[in-house]
Amino acid sequence: RPASPPGRLLFRIMNRGALDTLIGWLSPQTAVRRAQARRILASYDAASPTRLRRFSRETRSGESLARLQAPSIRQQARDLDRNHDLARGALTVLVDNIVGPQGIGIEPQPRSVSGEINDELSRQLLDLWRDWCRYPEVTFQHSWASAQRIACRTWLRDGECFAQILQGSVPALDHRSIIPLSLELIEPDLVPTENDLLMADRSGGIVRNAWGQPVAYRVYKVHPGDTFAWRAREDLKTVPAERMLHLRLVDRIGQHRGVSALASVITRLEDLKDYEESERVAAKIAASMAGYIKKGAPDLYTQDTTEADGTPAPRDLRFRPGMIFDDLLPGEEIGTIDTTRPNTNLQSYRDGQLRAVAAGAGASYSSVSRNYDGTYSAQRQELVEQWVHYAALAETFISQFVRPVWERFVVLAELAGAIQVPADIDRASLDDALYIAQTMPWIDPAKEATANETLERALHKSAPEIIRARGANPREVLAQQANWLRAKKAAGLVEEPKPAPAPPADAGADDAAAEQTKRDDA
C-alpha cells in the first residue's frame, strides 16, 4: 500500500476489479497468474481453525473407531438404560415403534407361475410359522415377538446384536417345533475385539475375505463378564457366516461393528441426569424449612433467664404450626432461609435438553417427554416426519434379522416335508412374504377412518392395504368376518335385507299436489 497521500488516494479509487482489468490490459500472463493464485488461496472457513474455534480431526476408518471405542460406549449406554429413566424411555419408544408388542408380522406370498398367490400354501406356511413362534430360541424363554423386542433393544442400545441359526439335528437341543430351526441370541460382548490388532484377516472378531465379505465369526463360549469367565476367555468357537445373523448400526462405509444409537447423546443425558439430581436434592433441602435469629446491637442484648449456677437458660424456639414468638430478646429478629427452590427454569431447560436427546436418539420428543400438548395438526406433523425414521429402522431390522429367519424357515419346512408344494408354484417366490411392521397410529380415529373410507371408495386405496396398515392380515380379517356373520345368522341376529319400496304410480302428480299444499298453507 503506498505511503504518500497521492498514492493512497489512487489506491482507494482503483478497486481490485479495475486493477485486474488494467493488469490484464498491460500483461495478460500476469493477470492469469493472479487469478490462479486467488483461487488457490480461497478456502472454506470451516476448514481453518481459529483462536476462537478449534475442532477435532478424525482420520481413522469407521471400523477402527467402532472396534476401539464401541465397547466403552456400549457400557455407558447400558448404565443409562439401567439407571436413567429418560434413556430407558427413549429406547422403549424406539423398540415399541420399530417392533411393537406383537413383533414384525409376516404374510406369506407364494405365487404360481401365472402370478397368482396360492392361498392353500400360504395357509400351511402361516400355521407352521405360528407354531414355531412359540419357542424360536434355544433357551425357551422368549416367544418370537419377545425375541424380536430384546434383539431390537440390544441392537439400539449396544449398537449391534448377533444370533446364531441352529438347524437340523443339534446335540442336546430340542427344537420343540415341527421345523428343526432355533436361534441362539448372542450379545456383542461374546464376539471379541481386543485381540484383532494382530490379526490381518479379522476386524472386530469377524473373519472376512479380500472383498470384505464376512466368512466366519469368532465367538466366546462363555460371556466375558460372567464370574470366573477368565478361565475360558480363550475358548472361542468359529461360526460360519451363513449361520450368523448380525444386526448392526453403522454410519460409515467399511464399518462392520455397530455403535450405540445413544452415542451422540450420552454426555447430554449424563449432564441432564446430574442436573436433575442436584435440583431434586436442593428442593428436598428447601422443603425442610430452617430459620435463624438475627441479633441486635450488643447494648440492646441482655440475658434475662439464667440457671441456678448462673449459666444462660436454654431457649425453646422450635417451629410449630401457628406458633408466635413472644420470647424474643430486645434487638432480635426471626429470619428464614430462602433457597429459591424448586427452580422455575427447570422445566424449560429440561424440555430443551429432551428435544436435543430425542433428535439425536431418533425418537419422538412427545413420546420421550410424555408431553402431548399441541394441536392435532402439530402432533400429526411431528408423527409423520418421525415415522419415516421408524420405518427406516424397521426396514433395517427386517432385512438383517426377520427376513433371513423366514427364508431359512421356508427351506427347512419343505425339507422336513411339512408343506406340500404344488407343481405350478414359482420356486423363486416360495419364500416371498409381506413384512408388516408397525404403522403410524391414529391421532383422531374418526378423521383417519373417514379418510380411508373415502380413499377406498375413490379406488385410490384397497381394503387389504388399509388392513395391513393397521397391522393385520387381510385374509385373517376376511375369514373372521365370514365366521362372525355365519354365527350371527345362525343365532338369528342378521335381518334379511328388505326390498326397496316401489315408487308410486303417479309420482309426478303427488309431488305437484304436495307443492300446492305447501303454497296453500303459506
Side-chain angles (χ1 to χ4, degrees), residues 237-505:
K237 61 182 179 181
T238 301
V239 180
E242 61 269 14
R243 285 174 39 204
M244 182 69 83
L245 303 178
H246 186 193
L247 265 168
R248 59 197 180 277
L249 288 174
V250 297
D251 297 321
R252 295 179 59 181
I253 296 174
Q255 180 181 339
H256 296 273
R257 298 300 297 262
V259 180
S260 172
L262 302 180
S264 62
V265 297
I266 284 178
T267 303
R268 190 181 300 274
L269 281 170
E270 290 179 343
D271 290 345
L272 183 58
K273 180 184 177 183
D274 293 343
Y275 177 71
E276 286 185 333
E277 180 69 13
S278 301
E279 289 289 345
R280 186 184 66 83
V281 173
K284 184 177 180 180
I285 295 174
S288 302
M289 186 176 179
Y292 61 90
I293 299 177
K294 181 179 180 181
K295 302 293 185 179
D299 56 342
L300 296 178
Y301 180 74
T302 58
Q303 182 68 42
D304 294 338
T305 58
T306 58
E307 298 289 347
D309 57 355
T311 59
R315 304 168 64 187
D316 186 8
L317 296 176
R318 291 175 295 177
F319 282 120
R320 289 184 295 273
M323 71 173 297
I324 298 176
F325 295 97
D326 60 350
D327 55 350
L328 295 178
L329 299 178
E332 290 184 342
E333 179 182 347
I334 295 292
T336 59
I337 301 175
D338 184 10
T339 61
T340 66
R341 289 297 190 277
N343 190 344
T344 56
N345 297 321
L346 172 61
Q347 186 64 37
S348 59
Y349 172 78
R350 183 178 182 272
D351 289 345
Q353 295 300 305
L354 274 182
R355 290 185 185 277
V357 168
S364 169
Y365 163 74
S366 298
S367 300
V368 173
S369 64
R370 294 298 190 269
N371 182 4
Y372 302 102
D373 296 340
T375 63
Y376 169 81
S377 300
Q379 291 188 25
R380 181 171 177 79
Q381 181 66 23
E382 178 190 13
L383 190 60
V384 168
E385 293 184 1
Q386 180 61 38
W387 206 260
V388 176
H389 181 66
Y390 293 149
L393 290 175
E395 175 58 30
T396 301
F397 185 80
I398 290 171
S399 62
Q400 296 183 2
F401 190 76
V402 180
R403 182 181 291 117
V405 174
W406 168 255
E407 292 175 350
R408 191 68 59 93
F409 173 85
V410 174
V411 172
L412 292 176
E414 184 180 10
L415 293 176
I419 58 174
Q420 301 297 326
V421 181
D424 63 339
I425 286 293
D426 183 5
R427 305 293 303 184
S429 69
L430 187 59
D431 57 4
D432 286 357
L434 290 178
Y435 300 93
I436 306 173
Q438 297 304 296
T439 57
M440 189 172 66
W442 288 357
I443 298 177
D444 190 327
K447 293 181 179 179
E448 304 285 353
T450 302
N452 282 331
E453 183 179 357
T454 303
L455 291 174
E456 183 185 8
R457 190 182 305 113
L459 302 181
H460 294 164
K461 205 172 188 179
S462 65
E465 184 182 1
I466 296 173
I467 294 174
R468 291 190 186 102
R470 300 295 299 159
N473 188 318
R475 291 189 180 87
E476 292 183 358
V477 173
L478 187 61
Q480 292 171 7
Q481 288 288 353
N483 292 335
W484 180 241
L485 290 176
R486 284 194 296 268
K488 290 176 66 176
K489 187 174 182 179
L493 300 178
V494 179
E495 297 183 0
E496 295 294 336
K498 297 180 180 180

Side-chain angles (χ1 to χ4, degrees), residues 128 154 161:
L128 291 171
T154 303
C161 177

Side-chain angles (χ1 to χ4, degrees), residues 95-271:
V95 174
D96 289 345
N97 288 283
I98 295 172
V99 176
Q102 303 300 326
I104 304 295
I106 293 181
E107 184 180 340
Q109 300 281 294
R111 299 177 182 274
S112 63
V113 178
S114 61
E116 297 179 356
I117 297 176
N118 190 301
D119 292 335
E120 178 61 24
L121 183 56
S122 299
R123 184 188 59 79
Q124 293 181 35
L125 288 171
L126 196 56
D127 290 343
L128 291 171
W129 177 254
R130 287 172 178 164
D131 178 68
W132 180 82
C133 288
R134 297 170 58 193
Y135 303 103
E137 52 92 35
V138 294
T139 65
F140 303 149
Q141 296 181 9
H142 300 283
S143 65
W144 178 233
S146 176
Q148 290 184 69
R149 289 181 62 85
I150 195 170
C152 183
R153 191 178 195 90
T154 303
W155 170 49
L156 297 171
R157 181 194 61 225
D158 298 349
E160 57 186 349
C161 177
F162 297 85
Q164 181 181 359
I165 299 176
L166 302 171
Q167 61 187 38
S169 178
V170 180
L173 175 61
D174 178 12
H175 292 292
R176 283 205 185 180
S177 173
I178 300 175
I179 310 302
L181 175 66
S182 296
L183 299 178
E184 180 190 9
L185 301 178
I186 300 174
E187 283 195 326
D189 308 69
L190 277 81
V191 181
T193 60
E194 62 271 16
N195 296 326
D196 294 331
L197 295 177
L198 301 178
M199 304 177 185
D201 62 338
R202 296 184 193 145
S203 178
I206 305 174
V207 182
R208 304 196 307 271
N209 61 16
W211 290 100
Q213 300 169 353
V215 176
Y217 293 81
R218 301 284 289 166
V219 183
Y220 285 125
K221 295 182 179 180
V222 180
H223 196 290
D226 286 343
T227 307
F228 303 113
W230 57 271
R231 298 178 180 176
R233 287 185 63 86
E234 300 303 324
D235 192 7
L236 293 111
K237 61 182 179 181
T238 301
V239 180
E242 61 269 14
R243 285 174 39 204
M244 182 69 83
L245 303 178
H246 186 193
L247 265 168
R248 59 197 180 277
L249 288 174
V250 297
D251 297 321
R252 295 179 59 181
I253 296 174
Q255 180 181 339
H256 296 273
R257 298 300 297 262
V259 180
S260 172
L262 302 180
S264 62
V265 297
I266 284 178
T267 303
R268 190 181 300 274
L269 281 170
E270 290 179 343
D271 290 345

Side-chain angles (χ1 to χ4, degrees), residues 6-19:
R8 288 199 299 268
L9 179 61
L10 180 62
F11 180 84
R12 292 172 183 174
I13 294 175
M14 297 178 61
N15 56 25
R16 190 173 66 182
L19 182 61

